[in-house]
């Protein structure tokens, strides 16, 4: 399996896309963890890598080694990584557009079930690769 991972190198604004192979077992573990946190796998991988880089200067290791090493510690690091990933689920969202759902979805914020045929608010992210998200009426940002 290949994951597209963006990693900042030197210049923080300059992001590169890296591809790495991960063993199937690791893939399952990462996927399970990501599902658990309700974040895209690539975000999780990115967080783990950033974390690994910040812990030690791993300039001599390649991404795959780093990822494998990090994954070994996944079990005990779970809580810490989870905390790192727990940011506002609506981060990076520019706008919401009211839509009628053609298939059931869940609110990205409160996890409420949004039925097919019901109204939901489609989150429009700042980048085209942004995962698709909906929020319920109550979780829409309110003008104050
Ligand atoms: Zn909600």
């Amino acid at each position: 399996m290949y994951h597209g991972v963006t990693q900042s190198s030197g210049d923080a604004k300059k992001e590169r896309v890296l591809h790495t192979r991960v063993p199937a077992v690791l893939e399952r573990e990462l996927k399970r963890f990501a599902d658990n946190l309700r974040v895209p796998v690539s975000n999780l991988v990115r967080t783990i890598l950033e974390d690994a880089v910040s812990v030690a200067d791993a300039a001599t290791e390649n991404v795959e080694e780093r990822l494998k090493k990090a994954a070994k510690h996944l079990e005990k690091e779970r809580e810490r990584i989870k905390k790192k990933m727990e940011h506002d689920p609506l981060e990076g969202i520019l706008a919401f557009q009211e839509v009628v759902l053609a298939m059931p979805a869940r609110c990205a914020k409160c996890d409420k079930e949004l039925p097919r045929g019901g109204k939901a608010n489609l989150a429009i992210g700042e980048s085209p690769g942004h995962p698709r998200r909906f929020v319920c009426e109550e979780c829409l940002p309110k003008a104050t």
Side-chain angles (χ1 to χ4, degrees), residues 107-112 135-139:
C107 173
K109 207 153 185 184
C110 69
D111 203 35
K112 184 173 114 176
V135 294
C136 72
E137 205 56 39
E138 292 86 78
C139 291

Side-chain angles (χ1 to χ4, degrees), residues 13 66 73 77 110 122:
K13 279 179 194 158
R66 236 183 273 166
H73 296 118
E77 298 279 277
C110 69
L122 174 65

